[in-house]
């Protein structure tokens, strides 16, 4: 691990890093890459909800409705956040729940991957796994969700613009922002480049 990654690990302690943002913003792919760099487990909340229910998200919505899904989402995320440190990707609606938001504020640092509409649309149209976009005009629905969610997502500790660049570039931005932002007080000084420990035993 790099000195920057180690500094984040030690400042996190048992806290998690929670990825927040709308469908298609890259929470899972960027979160997974961030977890590799930090040598932390990566957990996807939607996958955990599916495992707990024994059904896909589409099936949960179809069989039980959205409010049942939201209830399960809140409980699963509360359980997952008891087991930091980790990188946790949440579904686009999770941070909108006030109780979940409070739990995240207490137990994690949050990273909002902000993306503009064309980026989100290009990505969500690739798959048919988003019940909120079924039987509606997906672009109009995404516009509504942006208007509703972005003011709340703005409460996240760190905001990074998700765009069509390699994931590693986004991950580096997140690391830089975490080092200078919410974790800065808990961190050794890592503004200077790391000097590798001597392997010869001589200083
Ligand atoms: C949802 C986003 C989805 C999933 C569910 C509801 C939302 O997750 O949790 O379909 O409310 O925005 P992704 O953001 O990972 O697509």
């Amino acid at each position: 691990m790099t000195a920057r990654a180690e500094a984040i690990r030690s400042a996190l302690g048992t806290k998690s890093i929670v990825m927040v943002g709308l469908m298609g913003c890259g929470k899972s792919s960027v979160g997974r890459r961030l977890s590799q760099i930090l040598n932390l487990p990566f957990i996807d909340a939607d996958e955990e909800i599916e495992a707990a229910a024994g059904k896909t998200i589409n099936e949960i919505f179809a069989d039980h409705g959205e409010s049942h899904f939201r209830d399960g989402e809140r409980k699963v995320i509360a359980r997952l956040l008891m087991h930091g440190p980790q990188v946790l990707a949440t579904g686009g609606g999770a941070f909108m729940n006030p109780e979940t938001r409070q739990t995240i504020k207490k137990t994690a640092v949050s990273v909002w991957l902000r993306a503009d509409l064309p980026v989100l649309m290009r990505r969500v149209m690739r798959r048919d796994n988003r019940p909120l976009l079924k039987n509606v005009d997906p672009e109009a629905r995404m516009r509504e969700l942006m208007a509703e969610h972005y003011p709340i997502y703005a409460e996240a500790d760190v905001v990074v613009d998700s765009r069509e660049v390699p994931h590693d570039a986004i991950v580096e931005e997140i690391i830089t922002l975490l080092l200078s932002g919410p974790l800065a007080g808990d961190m050794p000084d890592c503004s200077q480049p790391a000097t590798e420990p001597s392997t010869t035993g001589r200083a």
Side-chain angles (χ1 to χ4, degrees), residues 21-24 27-28 44 46 49 57 61 66 69-70 73 90-94 129-132 145 149 153:
L22 265 195
M23 298 176 264
K27 296 172 299 243
S28 298
D44 185 299
D46 281 346
I49 295 164
I57 304 266
F61 269 71
E66 181 173 350
F69 169 78
R70 295 296 172 205
E73 178 177 54
T90 57
N129 61 342
R130 265 89 179 204
L132 293 183
L145 289 171
H149 291 204
Y153 289 162

PDB file of all heavy atoms in Angstrom, residues 21-24 27-28 44 46 49 57 61 66 69-70 73 90-94 129-132 145 149 153, ligand 1:
ATOM      1  N   GLY A  21     -24.731   8.163  -4.483  1.00  0.00           N
ATOM      2  CA  GLY A  21     -24.981   8.820  -5.774  1.00  0.00           C
ATOM      3  C   GLY A  21     -26.060   8.106  -6.555  1.00  0.00           C
ATOM      4  O   GLY A  21     -26.486   7.004  -6.189  1.00  0.00           O
ATOM      5  N   LEU A  22     -26.476   8.736  -7.640  1.00  0.00           N
ATOM      6  CA  LEU A  22     -27.583   8.190  -8.439  1.00  0.00           C
ATOM      7  C   LEU A  22     -27.165   6.933  -9.194  1.00  0.00           C
ATOM      8  O   LEU A  22     -25.976   6.708  -9.441  1.00  0.00           O
ATOM      9  CB  LEU A  22     -28.032   9.224  -9.478  1.00  0.00           C
ATOM     10  CG  LEU A  22     -29.197  10.136  -9.141  1.00  0.00           C
ATOM     11  CD1 LEU A  22     -29.681  10.795 -10.435  1.00  0.00           C
ATOM     12  CD2 LEU A  22     -30.365   9.401  -8.507  1.00  0.00           C
ATOM     13  N   MET A  23     -28.178   6.174  -9.582  1.00  0.00           N
ATOM     14  CA  MET A  23     -27.956   5.003 -10.427  1.00  0.00           C
ATOM     15  C   MET A  23     -27.046   5.358 -11.605  1.00  0.00           C
ATOM     16  O   MET A  23     -27.279   6.374 -12.265  1.00  0.00           O
ATOM     17  CB  MET A  23     -29.298   4.552 -11.035  1.00  0.00           C
ATOM     18  CG  MET A  23     -30.317   4.122 -10.040  1.00  0.00           C
ATOM     19  SD  MET A  23     -31.892   3.737 -10.856  1.00  0.00           S
ATOM     20  CE  MET A  23     -32.783   5.272 -10.671  1.00  0.00           C
ATOM     21  N   GLY A  24     -26.031   4.554 -11.839  1.00  0.00           N
ATOM     22  CA  GLY A  24     -25.184   4.766 -13.002  1.00  0.00           C
ATOM     23  C   GLY A  24     -23.996   5.686 -12.754  1.00  0.00           C
ATOM     24  O   GLY A  24     -23.187   5.910 -13.658  1.00  0.00           O
ATOM     25  N   LYS A  27     -20.821   3.970  -8.409  1.00  0.00           N
ATOM     26  CA  LYS A  27     -20.520   3.670  -6.993  1.00  0.00           C
ATOM     27  C   LYS A  27     -19.852   2.309  -6.835  1.00  0.00           C
ATOM     28  O   LYS A  27     -18.886   2.181  -6.090  1.00  0.00           O
ATOM     29  CB  LYS A  27     -21.815   3.684  -6.158  1.00  0.00           C
ATOM     30  CG  LYS A  27     -22.489   5.038  -6.094  1.00  0.00           C
ATOM     31  CD  LYS A  27     -23.848   4.936  -5.438  1.00  0.00           C
ATOM     32  CE  LYS A  27     -24.767   4.037  -6.205  1.00  0.00           C
ATOM     33  NZ  LYS A  27     -25.951   4.554  -6.779  1.00  0.00           N
ATOM     34  N   SER A  28     -20.360   1.303  -7.552  1.00  0.00           N
ATOM     35  CA  SER A  28     -19.809  -0.044  -7.361  1.00  0.00           C
ATOM     36  C   SER A  28     -18.436  -0.178  -8.019  1.00  0.00           C
ATOM     37  O   SER A  28     -17.502  -0.672  -7.393  1.00  0.00           O
ATOM     38  CB  SER A  28     -20.749  -1.111  -7.927  1.00  0.00           C
ATOM     39  OG  SER A  28     -21.967  -1.062  -7.229  1.00  0.00           O
ATOM     40  N   ASP A  44     -21.310  -4.450  -1.631  1.00  0.00           N
ATOM     41  CA  ASP A  44     -22.340  -3.768  -2.398  1.00  0.00           C
ATOM     42  C   ASP A  44     -23.677  -3.993  -1.680  1.00  0.00           C
ATOM     43  O   ASP A  44     -24.133  -5.127  -1.556  1.00  0.00           O
ATOM     44  CB  ASP A  44     -22.374  -4.375  -3.814  1.00  0.00           C
ATOM     45  CG  ASP A  44     -23.340  -3.637  -4.716  1.00  0.00           C
ATOM     46  OD1 ASP A  44     -24.555  -3.608  -4.407  1.00  0.00           O
ATOM     47  OD2 ASP A  44     -22.895  -3.103  -5.735  1.00  0.00           O
ATOM     48  N   ASP A  46     -26.761  -3.376  -2.445  1.00  0.00           N
ATOM     49  CA  ASP A  46     -27.834  -3.996  -3.235  1.00  0.00           C
ATOM     50  C   ASP A  46     -27.664  -5.519  -3.316  1.00  0.00           C
ATOM     51  O   ASP A  46     -28.637  -6.265  -3.221  1.00  0.00           O
ATOM     52  CB  ASP A  46     -27.877  -3.408  -4.656  1.00  0.00           C
ATOM     53  CG  ASP A  46     -28.572  -2.045  -4.694  1.00  0.00           C
ATOM     54  OD1 ASP A  46     -29.234  -1.680  -3.711  1.00  0.00           O
ATOM     55  OD2 ASP A  46     -28.445  -1.357  -5.724  1.00  0.00           O
ATOM     56  N   ILE A  49     -28.764  -6.959  -0.073  1.00  0.00           N
ATOM     57  CA  ILE A  49     -30.236  -6.962   0.051  1.00  0.00           C
ATOM     58  C   ILE A  49     -30.790  -8.142  -0.749  1.00  0.00           C
ATOM     59  O   ILE A  49     -31.673  -8.869  -0.280  1.00  0.00           O
ATOM     60  CB  ILE A  49     -30.823  -5.626  -0.462  1.00  0.00           C
ATOM     61  CG1 ILE A  49     -30.370  -4.470   0.433  1.00  0.00           C
ATOM     62  CG2 ILE A  49     -32.354  -5.691  -0.533  1.00  0.00           C
ATOM     63  CD1 ILE A  49     -30.557  -3.086  -0.183  1.00  0.00           C
ATOM     64  N   ILE A  57     -33.382  -7.380  -7.058  1.00  0.00           N
ATOM     65  CA  ILE A  57     -34.043  -6.102  -6.733  1.00  0.00           C
ATOM     66  C   ILE A  57     -35.331  -5.975  -7.563  1.00  0.00           C
ATOM     67  O   ILE A  57     -36.378  -5.575  -7.039  1.00  0.00           O
ATOM     68  CB  ILE A  57     -33.104  -4.915  -7.047  1.00  0.00           C
ATOM     69  CG1 ILE A  57     -31.778  -5.066  -6.312  1.00  0.00           C
ATOM     70  CG2 ILE A  57     -33.797  -3.577  -6.787  1.00  0.00           C
ATOM     71  CD1 ILE A  57     -31.642  -4.412  -5.004  1.00  0.00           C
ATOM     72  N   PHE A  61     -39.097  -5.493  -5.841  1.00  0.00           N
ATOM     73  CA  PHE A  61     -40.031  -4.415  -6.190  1.00  0.00           C
ATOM     74  C   PHE A  61     -41.341  -5.005  -6.733  1.00  0.00           C
ATOM     75  O   PHE A  61     -42.427  -4.568  -6.358  1.00  0.00           O
ATOM     76  CB  PHE A  61     -39.420  -3.475  -7.240  1.00  0.00           C
ATOM     77  CG  PHE A  61     -38.662  -2.306  -6.673  1.00  0.00           C
ATOM     78  CD1 PHE A  61     -37.437  -2.476  -6.051  1.00  0.00           C
ATOM     79  CD2 PHE A  61     -39.166  -1.013  -6.778  1.00  0.00           C
ATOM     80  CE1 PHE A  61     -36.722  -1.388  -5.545  1.00  0.00           C
ATOM     81  CE2 PHE A  61     -38.465   0.089  -6.277  1.00  0.00           C
ATOM     82  CZ  PHE A  61     -37.236  -0.103  -5.661  1.00  0.00           C
ATOM     83  N   GLU A  66     -42.058  -0.985  -3.453  1.00  0.00           N
ATOM     84  CA  GLU A  66     -40.868  -0.194  -3.106  1.00  0.00           C
ATOM     85  C   GLU A  66     -40.694  -0.025  -1.594  1.00  0.00           C
ATOM     86  O   GLU A  66     -39.577  -0.058  -1.091  1.00  0.00           O
ATOM     87  CB  GLU A  66     -40.924   1.184  -3.787  1.00  0.00           C
ATOM     88  CG  GLU A  66     -39.695   2.012  -3.457  1.00  0.00           C
ATOM     89  CD  GLU A  66     -39.580   3.315  -4.226  1.00  0.00           C
ATOM     90  OE1 GLU A  66     -40.348   3.534  -5.181  1.00  0.00           O
ATOM     91  OE2 GLU A  66     -38.693   4.116  -3.846  1.00  0.00           O
ATOM     92  N   PHE A  69     -38.902  -2.810  -0.081  1.00  0.00           N
ATOM     93  CA  PHE A  69     -37.476  -2.743  -0.444  1.00  0.00           C
ATOM     94  C   PHE A  69     -36.749  -1.719   0.435  1.00  0.00           C
ATOM     95  O   PHE A  69     -35.660  -1.966   0.950  1.00  0.00           O
ATOM     96  CB  PHE A  69     -37.317  -2.379  -1.927  1.00  0.00           C
ATOM     97  CG  PHE A  69     -35.900  -2.035  -2.299  1.00  0.00           C
ATOM     98  CD1 PHE A  69     -34.951  -3.031  -2.494  1.00  0.00           C
ATOM     99  CD2 PHE A  69     -35.492  -0.702  -2.419  1.00  0.00           C
ATOM    100  CE1 PHE A  69     -33.633  -2.714  -2.809  1.00  0.00           C
ATOM    101  CE2 PHE A  69     -34.178  -0.382  -2.738  1.00  0.00           C
ATOM    102  CZ  PHE A  69     -33.240  -1.387  -2.931  1.00  0.00           C
ATOM    103  N   ARG A  70     -37.355  -0.542   0.608  1.00  0.00           N
ATOM    104  CA  ARG A  70     -36.714   0.528   1.397  1.00  0.00           C
ATOM    105  C   ARG A  70     -36.478   0.096   2.843  1.00  0.00           C
ATOM    106  O   ARG A  70     -35.462   0.434   3.454  1.00  0.00           O
ATOM    107  CB  ARG A  70     -37.567   1.803   1.380  1.00  0.00           C
ATOM    108  CG  ARG A  70     -37.713   2.445   0.011  1.00  0.00           C
ATOM    109  CD  ARG A  70     -36.391   2.934  -0.543  1.00  0.00           C
ATOM    110  NE  ARG A  70     -36.529   3.364  -1.924  1.00  0.00           N
ATOM    111  CZ  ARG A  70     -35.534   3.385  -2.791  1.00  0.00           C
ATOM    112  NH1 ARG A  70     -34.322   2.987  -2.455  1.00  0.00           N
ATOM    113  NH2 ARG A  70     -35.737   3.799  -4.023  1.00  0.00           N
ATOM    114  N   GLU A  73     -33.628  -2.256   2.822  1.00  0.00           N
ATOM    115  CA  GLU A  73     -32.405  -1.501   2.521  1.00  0.00           C
ATOM    116  C   GLU A  73     -31.877  -0.821   3.790  1.00  0.00           C
ATOM    117  O   GLU A  73     -30.692  -0.899   4.105  1.00  0.00           O
ATOM    118  CB  GLU A  73     -32.746  -0.471   1.439  1.00  0.00           C
ATOM    119  CG  GLU A  73     -31.589   0.429   1.037  1.00  0.00           C
ATOM    120  CD  GLU A  73     -31.987   1.373  -0.107  1.00  0.00           C
ATOM    121  OE1 GLU A  73     -33.004   2.098   0.027  1.00  0.00           O
ATOM    122  OE2 GLU A  73     -31.273   1.390  -1.122  1.00  0.00           O
ATOM    123  N   THR A  90     -23.766   1.990  -1.833  1.00  0.00           N
ATOM    124  CA  THR A  90     -25.197   1.949  -1.502  1.00  0.00           C
ATOM    125  C   THR A  90     -26.019   2.224  -2.764  1.00  0.00           C
ATOM    126  O   THR A  90     -25.555   2.908  -3.679  1.00  0.00           O
ATOM    127  CB  THR A  90     -25.543   3.010  -0.441  1.00  0.00           C
ATOM    128  OG1 THR A  90     -25.165   4.309  -0.919  1.00  0.00           O
ATOM    129  CG2 THR A  90     -24.839   2.728   0.867  1.00  0.00           C
ATOM    130  N   GLY A  91     -27.259   1.756  -2.792  1.00  0.00           N
ATOM    131  CA  GLY A  91     -28.164   2.074  -3.894  1.00  0.00           C
ATOM    132  C   GLY A  91     -28.517   3.553  -3.864  1.00  0.00           C
ATOM    133  O   GLY A  91     -28.417   4.211  -2.818  1.00  0.00           O
ATOM    134  N   GLY A  92     -28.956   4.063  -5.020  1.00  0.00           N
ATOM    135  CA  GLY A  92     -29.182   5.503  -5.166  1.00  0.00           C
ATOM    136  C   GLY A  92     -30.162   6.115  -4.183  1.00  0.00           C
ATOM    137  O   GLY A  92     -30.084   7.306  -3.884  1.00  0.00           O
ATOM    138  N   GLY A  93     -31.087   5.297  -3.634  1.00  0.00           N
ATOM    139  CA  GLY A  93     -32.088   5.864  -2.728  1.00  0.00           C
ATOM    140  C   GLY A  93     -31.678   5.816  -1.268  1.00  0.00           C
ATOM    141  O   GLY A  93     -32.320   6.447  -0.417  1.00  0.00           O
ATOM    142  N   ALA A  94     -30.614   5.073  -0.959  1.00  0.00           N
ATOM    143  CA  ALA A  94     -30.306   4.781   0.448  1.00  0.00           C
ATOM    144  C   ALA A  94     -30.027   6.040   1.273  1.00  0.00           C
ATOM    145  O   ALA A  94     -30.539   6.200   2.387  1.00  0.00           O
ATOM    146  CB  ALA A  94     -29.106   3.832   0.517  1.00  0.00           C
ATOM    147  N   ASN A 129     -31.918  -3.513 -15.020  1.00  0.00           N
ATOM    148  CA  ASN A 129     -32.004  -3.982 -13.627  1.00  0.00           C
ATOM    149  C   ASN A 129     -32.462  -2.883 -12.668  1.00  0.00           C
ATOM    150  O   ASN A 129     -32.243  -2.973 -11.481  1.00  0.00           O
ATOM    151  CB  ASN A 129     -30.637  -4.529 -13.178  1.00  0.00           C
ATOM    152  CG  ASN A 129     -29.548  -3.465 -13.227  1.00  0.00           C
ATOM    153  OD1 ASN A 129     -29.713  -2.432 -13.889  1.00  0.00           O
ATOM    154  ND2 ASN A 129     -28.451  -3.704 -12.538  1.00  0.00           N
ATOM    155  N   ARG A 130     -33.069  -1.786 -13.222  1.00  0.00           N
ATOM    156  CA  ARG A 130     -33.481  -0.685 -12.342  1.00  0.00           C
ATOM    157  C   ARG A 130     -35.007  -0.521 -12.378  1.00  0.00           C
ATOM    158  O   ARG A 130     -35.545   0.105 -13.296  1.00  0.00           O
ATOM    159  CB  ARG A 130     -32.822   0.624 -12.779  1.00  0.00           C
ATOM    160  CG  ARG A 130     -31.549   0.978 -12.068  1.00  0.00           C
ATOM    161  CD  ARG A 130     -30.329   0.416 -12.722  1.00  0.00           C
ATOM    162  NE  ARG A 130     -29.103   0.798 -12.036  1.00  0.00           N
ATOM    163  CZ  ARG A 130     -27.942   0.825 -12.652  1.00  0.00           C
ATOM    164  NH1 ARG A 130     -27.830   0.539 -13.917  1.00  0.00           N
ATOM    165  NH2 ARG A 130     -26.865   1.144 -11.960  1.00  0.00           N
ATOM    166  N   PRO A 131     -35.692  -1.051 -11.357  1.00  0.00           N
ATOM    167  CA  PRO A 131     -37.162  -0.985 -11.364  1.00  0.00           C
ATOM    168  C   PRO A 131     -37.691   0.447 -11.420  1.00  0.00           C
ATOM    169  O   PRO A 131     -38.759   0.675 -11.985  1.00  0.00           O
ATOM    170  CB  PRO A 131     -37.565  -1.668 -10.049  1.00  0.00           C
ATOM    171  CG  PRO A 131     -36.321  -1.818  -9.243  1.00  0.00           C
ATOM    172  CD  PRO A 131     -35.173  -1.787 -10.180  1.00  0.00           C
ATOM    173  N   LEU A 132     -36.951   1.407 -10.884  1.00  0.00           N
ATOM    174  CA  LEU A 132     -37.455   2.796 -10.884  1.00  0.00           C
ATOM    175  C   LEU A 132     -37.526   3.375 -12.299  1.00  0.00           C
ATOM    176  O   LEU A 132     -38.176   4.395 -12.519  1.00  0.00           O
ATOM    177  CB  LEU A 132     -36.551   3.707 -10.037  1.00  0.00           C
ATOM    178  CG  LEU A 132     -36.533   3.451  -8.532  1.00  0.00           C
ATOM    179  CD1 LEU A 132     -35.645   4.476  -7.837  1.00  0.00           C
ATOM    180  CD2 LEU A 132     -37.932   3.507  -7.936  1.00  0.00           C
ATOM    181  N   LEU A 145     -35.135  12.600 -10.345  1.00  0.00           N
ATOM    182  CA  LEU A 145     -34.314  12.077  -9.247  1.00  0.00           C
ATOM    183  C   LEU A 145     -33.133  12.998  -8.961  1.00  0.00           C
ATOM    184  O   LEU A 145     -32.762  13.217  -7.807  1.00  0.00           O
ATOM    185  CB  LEU A 145     -33.832  10.654  -9.567  1.00  0.00           C
ATOM    186  CG  LEU A 145     -34.913   9.564  -9.540  1.00  0.00           C
ATOM    187  CD1 LEU A 145     -34.370   8.244 -10.091  1.00  0.00           C
ATOM    188  CD2 LEU A 145     -35.442   9.349  -8.123  1.00  0.00           C
ATOM    189  N   HIS A 149     -32.647  14.435  -5.358  1.00  0.00           N
ATOM    190  CA  HIS A 149     -31.573  13.821  -4.567  1.00  0.00           C
ATOM    191  C   HIS A 149     -30.321  14.688  -4.421  1.00  0.00           C
ATOM    192  O   HIS A 149     -29.632  14.599  -3.413  1.00  0.00           O
ATOM    193  CB  HIS A 149     -31.152  12.485  -5.189  1.00  0.00           C
ATOM    194  CG  HIS A 149     -32.188  11.412  -5.065  1.00  0.00           C
ATOM    195  ND1 HIS A 149     -31.881  10.077  -5.089  1.00  0.00           N
ATOM    196  CD2 HIS A 149     -33.529  11.474  -4.898  1.00  0.00           C
ATOM    197  CE1 HIS A 149     -32.993   9.363  -4.962  1.00  0.00           C
ATOM    198  NE2 HIS A 149     -33.999  10.192  -4.854  1.00  0.00           N
ATOM    199  N   TYR A 153     -27.675  14.614  -1.417  1.00  0.00           N
ATOM    200  CA  TYR A 153     -26.346  14.015  -1.627  1.00  0.00           C
ATOM    201  C   TYR A 153     -25.246  15.020  -1.273  1.00  0.00           C
ATOM    202  O   TYR A 153     -24.147  14.645  -0.872  1.00  0.00           O
ATOM    203  CB  TYR A 153     -26.150  13.611  -3.091  1.00  0.00           C
ATOM    204  CG  TYR A 153     -26.944  12.433  -3.606  1.00  0.00           C
ATOM    205  CD1 TYR A 153     -27.105  12.259  -4.979  1.00  0.00           C
ATOM    206  CD2 TYR A 153     -27.502  11.475  -2.762  1.00  0.00           C
ATOM    207  CE1 TYR A 153     -27.808  11.187  -5.496  1.00  0.00           C
ATOM    208  CE2 TYR A 153     -28.208  10.400  -3.280  1.00  0.00           C
ATOM    209  CZ  TYR A 153     -28.364  10.251  -4.646  1.00  0.00           C
ATOM    210  OH  TYR A 153     -29.053   9.191  -5.168  1.00  0.00           O
TER     211      TYR A 153
HETATM  212  C1  LIG B   1     -32.316   2.678  -6.502  1.00  0.00           C
HETATM  213  C2  LIG B   1     -31.060   2.422  -6.998  1.00  0.00           C
HETATM  214  C3  LIG B   1     -30.572   1.063  -7.242  1.00  0.00           C
HETATM  215  C4  LIG B   1     -31.309   0.042  -6.372  1.00  0.00           C
HETATM  216  C5  LIG B   1     -32.772   0.190  -6.542  1.00  0.00           C
HETATM  217  C6  LIG B   1     -33.276   1.584  -6.170  1.00  0.00           C
HETATM  218  C7  LIG B   1     -32.714   4.088  -6.242  1.00  0.00           C
HETATM  219  O1  LIG B   1     -29.171   0.989  -6.946  1.00  0.00           O
HETATM  220  O2  LIG B   1     -30.966   0.202  -5.024  1.00  0.00           O
HETATM  221  O3  LIG B   1     -33.074  -0.110  -7.873  1.00  0.00           O
HETATM  222  O4  LIG B   1     -33.615   4.309  -5.439  1.00  0.00           O
HETATM  223  O5  LIG B   1     -32.097   5.018  -6.815  1.00  0.00           O
HETATM  224  P1  LIG B   1     -28.031   1.654  -7.886  1.00  0.00           P
HETATM  225  O6  LIG B   1     -27.948   3.096  -7.528  1.00  0.00           O
HETATM  226  O7  LIG B   1     -26.805   0.926  -7.475  1.00  0.00           O
HETATM  227  O8  LIG B   1     -28.421   1.408  -9.290  1.00  0.00           O
END
